[in-house]
Amino acid sequence: MEMTKRIIILWTAILLSAPWAMAQAGIHWQCNIYEFQYDMTLYFTLENDDAVVSDLADYEVAAFVGNECRGVGSIETVTPSGGGSVKYGYLRIRSNVTEGEEVRFNVYHIPSGNVYRIPQTVSFVADGKEGLPSSPYMLSFTKVLMGDANGDQKVNVNDVVTTVNHILERENDVFVLEAADVNGDNLINVTDVVGIVNIILGRTP
């Protein structure tokens, strides 16, 4: 525990001494597809606060196992025989095992630069498929800003301090556990502090 405290304090000191890290940069997730042997396909659409997202182009969806990005979605358009057009998300999820890994998802709102967690997960199955272009898998999320531990709708060094206070059992006026749990493991520890730092620096959370 003492070593954990030292690591947390070190990360906080780094941020406090780096004014250039105070602004949240845009995030662009990347996955090296050549590092993986297997893949599965997800056809998806998005729902925010029980409303279907009308413009998928405003969002980037990525798949993760732990903190490793396993695929980044794209937006595809199909034209039914009756005319018009339908948009859906297309995501190839990668792995080096044939089945069993739990895949989670994050969504990046491009206009605002905010990152949100999608609570649903899927189990990886090589050559598997979830959803169809005509009936995409619904990924639902609420606008709990990932990393915003103090609930002020910004992610900055104050959220690092708030999370450190929580870990050290010090009192905070506000602590948003769901936002501070950056890696989604239902624990608040130094890994989440590092995740918040990465969000601030524009790295993959």
Side-chain angles (χ1 to χ4, degrees):
M1 182 64 181
E2 193 60 38
M3 179 60 68
T4 299
K5 289 181 180 179
R6 290 177 182 175
I7 294 171
I8 292 169
I9 291 168
L10 175 62
W11 271 106
T12 305
I14 290 170
L15 276 177
L16 289 172
S17 65
W20 49 267
M22 296 294 288
Q24 181 179 355
I27 294 173
H28 178 67
W29 288 309
Q30 294 181 339
C31 171
N32 184 351
I33 63 175
Y34 302 107
E35 293 182 349
F36 303 100
Q37 300 179 61
Y38 309 107
D39 64 67
M40 68 177 290
T41 302
L42 175 71
Y43 298 99
F44 69 89
T45 191
L46 291 174
E47 182 180 63
N48 172 235
D49 292 329
D50 299 322
V52 176
V53 170
S54 59
D55 192 354
L56 289 174
D58 282 344
Y59 295 87
E60 179 178 273
V61 175
F64 293 86
V65 174
N67 287 325
E68 183 178 35
C69 183
R70 294 293 186 85
V72 181
S74 61
I75 308 304
E76 307 292 332
T77 303
V78 294
T79 303
S81 57
S85 63
V86 177
K87 289 188 177 182
Y88 62 89
Y90 173 77
L91 176 54
R92 296 277 293 278
I93 302 168
R94 315 283 174 164
S95 181
N96 281 318
V97 297
T98 57
E99 62 181 25
E101 286 190 313
E102 184 179 52
V103 181
R104 64 181 181 86
F105 305 93
N106 291 338
V107 57
Y108 172 52
H109 184 232
I110 297 167
S112 67
N114 291 338
V115 179
Y116 306 102
R117 179 183 299 109
I118 294 171
Q120 295 129 291
T121 61
V122 300
S123 182
F124 182 86
V125 177
D127 299 323
K129 182 168 62 177
E130 292 282 354
L132 295 167
S134 58
S135 180
Y137 185 88
M138 182 68 74
L139 293 174
S140 302
F141 68 99
T142 57
K143 287 193 174 180
V144 175
L145 180 58
M146 192 183 298
D148 180 23
N150 66 357
D152 66 356
Q153 297 303 305
K154 295 177 286 187
V155 182
N156 54 32
V157 69
N158 295 326
D159 299 296
V160 176
V161 174
T162 297
T163 305
V164 169
N165 284 341
H166 179 83
I167 294 170
L168 300 181
E169 300 182 351
R170 297 174 181 165
E171 187 174 349
N172 288 303
D173 291 335
V174 176
F175 181 71
V176 184
L177 188 146
E178 184 179 356
D181 183 18
V182 172
N183 67 354
D185 64 356
N186 297 314
L187 300 171
I188 304 298
N189 53 34
V190 68
T191 304
D192 299 298
V193 175
V194 173
I196 295 171
V197 170
N198 284 336
I199 291 173
I200 293 170
L201 299 181
R203 298 171 182 163
T204 299

